[in-house]
Amino acid sequence: MTRVPDVEEAAFVAEARALGDLPVAGAPEIAIAGRSNVGKSTLLNRLAGRKGLARTSKTPGRTRGLVMFSLRFVRRGGDADAAVPVDELRLIDLPGYGYAKVSQADRRGWQPLIEGYTRTRRALALFVVLIDARRGIEDEERQLYEWLGTENVPAQIVFTKVDKLSASERGLLRERARSLFGNRRGPGPLMVSGETGEGVPALWSAIFAAASATRAELAPEAPDA
């Protein structure tokens, strides 16, 4: 896919602070996680084609639960529908980690919530790990990616804020990313900017590829004759 899809409707669905609070799975879900201040809200708004769907804040660590947004797409038939394989997709904004100014108790509560969601949610199509391109790759991102591999969860590394890097800095980052994350199937690490839209079509391509695989698993079984 080489273009950004037309989002007909983008809406907040729920914020779950316990797994039981999540709505019934009805569409492929894309989980998005990253350190606080990684540009997650800006990227979510870019994917949704809306400026204010996910709140951006100067105070890191505002997300306290699993925040679910629903995107519905314009589908006009023909080749366009082949590029947009689902009518609906759900984006799951996960709590930020790292230097978020939240209590240790809150952080300890997030871990079982995120792990439980990742391990048990059959609608989860792709886990997107955001990394601030200016900060580089830290142990938490690498460990998260490795853990997702042990759980057989499809994962996509995405470097954000690449518009802030020089050409030489991008080259060095690509080399290190390939050495750390280049051993999985898929498109490999992506470089995007939520501010400019750079790299977003490639991210959509990865999202829809994963959603296509999960859509069949979510389809209701036909009743017995």
Side-chain angles (χ1 to χ4, degrees), residues 4 19 31 54 56 58 77 80 97 114 122 129 137 154 162 166 182 192 211-212:
V4 173
L19 292 178
T56 57
K58 293 182 179 179
Y97 53 86
I114 294 172
R122 69 187 186 99
V129 180
I137 303 161
V162 296
S166 66
V192 307
S212 295

Side-chain angles (χ1 to χ4, degrees), residues 9 26 36 79 86 108 111 119 125 152 154 163 166 168 219 222:
E9 180 182 340
S36 299
D79 293 341
V86 292
R108 287 193 296 269
Q111 184 172 348
R119 285 173 167 153
N152 295 315
D163 54 299
S166 66
S168 60

